[in-house]
Amino acid sequence: MIRSMFSAISGLRNHQTMMDVVGNNISNVNTTGFKSSTTVFQDVLSQVLRGGGAANQELGGTNPAQVGLGSRVAAITTNFGQGALQRTGRATDLAVQGDGFFVVNQAGQELYTRAGSFSIDALGRLVTQEGAFVMGWQSDAAGNVNSNGAIGQIQVPVGDLVAPVASTEIALGGNLPSNAAVGASIVNSVEVFDTQGNPISIRHTFTKTAADTWTVASEYTLADGTTGAAGADSTIVFDGAGEIDAGASTINPLNTIPAPAGTIDLFLGDPGGANRLTQYGELSTVAVLSQDGSAAGSLQSFSVSQEGLVVGSYSNGRTRAIGQIALASFANPEGLEKVGGSNYRSTMNSGLAQLGTAGAGGRGLLSSGTLEMSNVDLAQEFTNLIVAQRGFQANSRVVTTSDELLQEVVNLKR
């Protein structure tokens, strides 16, 4: 009777622990990145009343007779299944689709989390809502990221400036009409930039001088209104198929624009390639396709790619990599220790953190503008709540019944 009472007491304790776990799961049903837990029970040592006997020629074998001594909590396991993604629209809200954890540094301690509700602090650093630094790799001045190096803080340089890029090439393409009369002209223009980022307007005038032959005269206009020839006239000769005859053509660079502008080459496309300059029929579609220069620009916004690359958009239309967010994976994620704030700490049984980029090494991809919600299944948790309640009631009834039996024993002597 005493054994049954103590067994029931262990059951009460265990079901109370189960209630605590279920209650914690339900309380975190809307916690970003939360992973639910499950309680696992097992029995404890049993008292052997009679040992097992071996079979012989005269008697058969006998099984051991044992009385259990109650139960205990074997484990509280964490379910790392994917939670639903909720769209927020904030550029700094990130969710991991698949395996992996964000790496954060909180007061010098490296922690791991699935909660991607980040923000930018006053110094431009990417931080969690608790102020922990989001770790990754910062790019160099050219926008290159070395993901094989040591991780550090990700910083978005608010107000960052990119230097101007001097134009060195203008790409022309489209079609000049083969039926145009000699002396006909077609004009287009493009804005290029000198080494200081000052804009220069270049005007191209295509004039047909003979059958299948055109000249290109280029004129510059500076910001102060100064104009002049941008270079010697070029001659473009087409063959009978409407393609540029490279041997007969003379394409001169634009090399007479005043300093600080440099020499600018004219590119008319590769033979047989896309967007090359041709001479077919009546079509008149010649145009400037691109130029490789830009003015100075300041950082306007940034975005995060699926691979965790933080890309800044500048006022001059250019983009540049700012950094890349690191993800960590573990051989045994269930071995991680919860430390609060939706953060985890590695343990001896979780294995070492394997750092890398999203989408590589079994790590999932990032989804920008979304958050991973809790993976708590309310229907399952309420079912577990009923199971825990009934288990607690049953064990309490065992205690009551054992007490009644003891009372009967005491009442034997009256």
Side-chain angles (χ1 to χ4, degrees):
M1 289 179 288
I2 297 297
R3 282 186 305 223
S4 64
M5 187 172 290
F6 281 111
S7 295
I9 290 174
S10 69
L12 290 174
R13 293 196 186 105
N14 296 337
H15 282 86
Q16 180 59 60
T17 300
M18 182 179 180
M19 282 288 295
D20 294 339
V21 172
V22 172
N24 182 63
N25 289 341
I26 295 175
S27 69
N28 285 283
V29 67
N30 288 317
T31 300
T32 301
F34 178 79
K35 301 303 178 183
S36 62
S37 298
T38 304
T39 309
V40 181
F41 295 156
Q42 68 178 193
D43 64 340
V44 295
L45 292 174
S46 297
Q47 182 178 356
V48 179
L49 301 181
R50 184 185 66 198
N56 54 44
Q57 294 297 327
E58 298 178 358
L59 292 173
T62 58
N63 296 324
Q66 296 175 281
V67 177
L69 300 178
S71 64
R72 66 180 178 183
V73 175
I76 299 176
T77 61
T78 303
N79 174 18
F80 280 98
Q82 179 77 48
L85 300 186
Q86 181 181 23
R87 184 72 182 171
T88 65
R90 292 181 69 240
T92 54
D93 283 346
L94 302 173
V96 181
Q97 298 183 81
D99 296 333
F101 298 81
F102 297 108
V103 184
V104 299
N105 186 288
Q106 189 170 43
Q109 183 180 18
E110 190 171 281
L111 303 176
Y112 311 95
T113 183
R114 296 277 296 191
S117 180
F118 304 140
S119 59
I120 305 296
D121 69 4
L123 300 179
R125 296 169 298 190
L126 191 62
V127 296
T128 67
Q129 298 302 321
E130 295 180 326
F133 301 118
V134 180
M135 307 298 282
W137 301 275
Q138 197 75 17
S139 67
D140 57 21
N144 300 316
V145 177
N146 178 19
S147 59
N148 294 320
I151 59 174
Q153 300 173 11
I154 295 292
Q155 186 170 17
V156 178
V158 179
D160 181 42
L161 294 176
V162 291
V165 178
S167 300
T168 60
E169 181 181 271
I170 297 174
L172 296 168
N175 188 74
L176 292 168
S178 60
N179 64 346
V182 173
S185 297
I186 299 174
V187 179
N188 60 40
S189 61
V190 63
E191 187 176 68
V192 298
F193 300 90
D194 61 21
T195 55
Q196 297 178 349
N198 298 310
I200 302 171
S201 178
I202 301 294
R203 174 188 172 98
H204 300 293
T205 302
F206 296 81
T207 303
K208 189 169 185 180
T209 56
D212 299 329
T213 303
W214 296 74
T215 60
V216 183
S218 300
E219 182 183 48
Y220 68 83
T221 301
L222 304 181
D224 61 2
T226 303
T227 62
D233 292 353
S234 298
T235 301
I236 306 174
V237 179
F238 295 92
D239 59 22
E243 302 289 345
I244 293 177
D245 185 345
S249 300
T250 302
I251 311 300
N252 296 314
L254 309 183
N255 55 7
T256 60
I257 306 173
T263 299
I264 302 176
D265 295 322
L266 294 179
F267 177 65
L268 306 182
D270 296 317
N275 299 323
R276 66 190 184 281
L277 187 65
T278 58
Q279 180 188 252
Y280 298 142
E282 301 177 357
L283 294 174
S284 179
T285 61
V286 65
V288 175
L289 302 179
S290 65
Q291 62 84 27
D292 59 357
S294 64
S298 60
L299 181 65
Q300 300 294 301
S301 62
F302 68 92
S303 60
V304 182
S305 71
Q306 286 187 323
E307 293 75 27
L309 198 64
V310 184
V311 180
S313 299
Y314 292 80
S315 58
N316 60 358
R318 298 277 177 171
T319 59
R320 184 173 71 87
I322 297 174
Q324 189 162 20
I325 297 172
L327 289 186
S329 60
F330 294 89
N332 176 31
E334 292 185 6
L336 293 172
E337 177 187 354
K338 293 182 178 181
V339 293
S342 296
N343 295 323
Y344 299 87
R345 180 167 49 211
S346 62
T347 66
M348 294 293 292
N349 198 41
S350 67
L352 296 176
Q354 304 299 317
L355 303 180
T357 59
R363 289 171 286 271
L365 297 173
L366 297 187
S367 177
S368 178
T370 59
L371 289 176
E372 182 184 7
M373 303 306 294
S374 168
N375 68 349
V376 172
D377 184 347
L378 271 181
Q380 182 63 53
E381 295 305 324
F382 280 121
T383 301
N384 293 340
L385 196 66
I386 296 171
V387 171
Q389 180 184 11
R390 294 307 179 194
F392 192 92
Q393 284 179 335
N395 281 276
S396 64
R397 183 57 56 90
V398 172
V399 173
T400 303
T401 303
S402 297
D403 177 61
E404 291 175 355
L405 292 175
L406 286 172
Q407 184 66 36
E408 290 296 325
V409 172
V410 171
N411 291 337
L412 287 177
K413 182 178 183 303
R414 295 183 179 178

